[in-house]
Amino acid sequence: MHRLILLVILLGGLVYADESNTNLFLNTDVFELEVAADPQISPDSSRIVYVRRSNDIMTDRARTNLWIVGAQGGQHRPVISGTDSYSSPRWSPDSTRIAYISSAEGRGPELYVRWMNTGQTAMLSNLATSPSGITWSPDGNWIAFSALVKGEKASLAKAPAKPEGAHWAPPVTYIDSIYYRADGRGYLEPGHNHIFVIPAEGGTPRQVTSGDFNHGGMLAWSPDGDSIVFSANRNGDWEYRTRNSDLWSVNVASGELTQLTTRDGPDSSPTFSPDGSKIAYLGYDDRSMGFHTTRAYVLDVDDGSIEELTADFNRSVFSIRWAGSNNRVYVLYDDRGKRHIGTMTLGGEIDVIVDDVGGTEISRPYTGGGFSVADDGAYAYSAGTPYRPADVSAGRRGRAGAK
């Protein structure tokens, strides 16, 4: 195993404290801290683009910029940096472009593409709501994403016309949906999440799912580019049983839907094996308990058979990616208060690769962080602890080396 710390971005905010002050850390020092998050290694494993998160003392708001670093630690520099925020960088399959999301034009979050050899940037979309889950098609010609399609707001009665110049109290909010509020988001806009595709050179987004259901999460293009696999709860009682999601496939051209899993419980995070013969994903059988261990599974695309990888592994898996081959995956999980990345065979045998994933949540002593994988199995991840903001680290399975 080869693992390399690429950069250190926790800068010396503490030096601004009065030397006579015995406090080692002041409340204003939070504005001097920077965190590396969402590291995305390029498909050719040569570079890593990541989100550099900081806090603006002038606006008291978080700010996210995009930076890049070579996989061996050199050529560390900004991609897009300033007072605006940029997030969710995703590499094109040929490693020549990145797609990302930003509100830099003074409008709602939009989808952008940047050509890495020239620095030229294009705003692709003109959306009414924020995109998420952006994913390139295998040929690099399309980008898929999910977004809210707003619905009609319910009303008890039609309000009378307001006289010109009048200042009335805000109208009554009428809610007729069971699923109307979420942690961290508050009251939800009426409507449903749907999946869209847009040409990677710009154009009009095309909605490929329909119905009064929510579709999205992690999107996975089939290797031939004909379909997209995603998670959705398309059951008639979805508002009462919100965790009962399944994997579905949608034909991009026709919109035809195919249900891939049917069990009682959530299925999510699909990802195709390099040869397209299998789909790895996460989920569990819902036994109506307060906590369930999230399991890892592999679905055979040809015959629909499903094998559980983690039957003998008593830990929840938070993320799963193929490890550059068709017979091994990377899994992200917690053990003894630390977040690990391990490799797992399709027979369920696991080897620990790293145990220091985290450091992306300032002021919260929780595990966190994530990782990404290149086509050849090289990986990048956010390396940190509950006591230290994350840096970017990278490695490659099966090679000896030092941290």
Side-chain angles (χ1 to χ4, degrees), residues 263 267 278-285 287 292-300 304-317 320 322 329 331 344-349:
R263 61 122 165 250
D267 294 324
K278 303 176 182 68
I279 299 173
Y281 67 98
L282 305 178
Y284 57 81
D285 294 312
R287 296 185 174 90
H292 295 78
T293 299
T294 301
R295 307 291 188 176
Y297 301 85
V298 168
L299 181 149
D300 188 288
S305 62
I306 296 172
E307 295 289 338
E308 181 181 347
L309 303 185
T310 51
D312 299 322
F313 184 64
N314 189 26
R315 297 290 184 271
S316 280
V317 178
I320 187 168
W322 292 92
V329 295
V331 290
M344 182 173 287
T345 67
L346 299 191
E349 299 176 359

Side-chain angles (χ1 to χ4, degrees), residues 221-224 272-279 299-302 326:
W221 286 84
S222 61
D224 58 14
F272 275 92
S273 61
D275 65 0
S277 66
K278 303 176 182 68
I279 299 173
L299 181 149
D300 188 288
V301 173
D302 289 333
N326 301 304

Side-chain angles (χ1 to χ4, degrees), residues 4 18 22 26 33 44 137 160 170 231 274 296 318 330 347 362 366 403:
L4 176 68
D18 184 353
T22 58
L26 303 179
L33 299 178
D44 64 8
S137 64
S231 177
F318 302 112
Y330 287 121
I362 294 178
Y366 306 145
K403 179 176 176 179

Side-chain angles (χ1 to χ4, degrees), residues 75-252:
Q75 297 183 323
H76 183 216
R77 59 191 185 275
V79 177
I80 307 175
S81 182
T83 57
D84 292 312
S85 286
Y86 311 86
S87 63
S88 302
R90 296 295 183 269
W91 288 97
S92 63
D94 60 2
S95 302
T96 63
R97 295 163 289 170
I98 58 168
Y100 63 92
I101 297 170
S102 177
S103 301
E105 303 290 332
R107 45 196 293 150
E110 300 290 354
L111 179 62
Y112 293 77
V113 165
R114 183 180 181 90
W115 281 258
M116 300 303 288
N117 62 338
T118 66
Q120 293 171 306
T121 299
M123 184 176 73
L124 301 189
S125 63
N126 183 20
L127 302 174
T129 57
S130 177
S132 63
I134 57 178
T135 309
W136 290 82
S137 64
D139 61 8
N141 292 331
W142 297 86
I143 298 174
F145 63 90
S146 60
L148 176 70
V149 177
K150 292 185 178 181
E152 293 288 334
K153 290 186 177 181
S155 175
L156 284 172
K158 184 177 180 180
K162 183 170 65 174
E164 184 177 353
H167 298 281
W168 287 8
V172 172
T173 299
Y174 176 63
I175 299 173
D176 64 352
S177 174
I178 296 173
Y179 183 64
Y180 66 93
R181 188 168 58 181
D183 286 348
R185 296 171 60 189
Y187 290 98
L188 304 177
E189 285 274 355
H192 299 88
N193 278 3
H194 286 287
I195 296 172
F196 296 78
V197 293
I198 187 172
E201 295 183 350
T204 301
R206 180 168 59 85
Q207 184 176 329
V208 297
T209 58
S210 59
D212 293 337
F213 308 100
N214 291 312
H215 313 75
M218 182 174 168
L219 309 181
W221 286 84
S222 61
D224 58 14
D226 289 343
S227 61
I228 299 171
V229 176
F230 57 93
S231 177
N233 186 341
R234 291 182 58 89
N235 300 291
D237 60 352
W238 72 267
E239 286 191 289
Y240 299 91
R241 304 177 67 237
T242 57
R243 293 188 295 187
N244 191 24
S245 61
D246 299 298
L247 294 188
W248 291 78
S249 174
V250 61
N251 184 281
V252 175

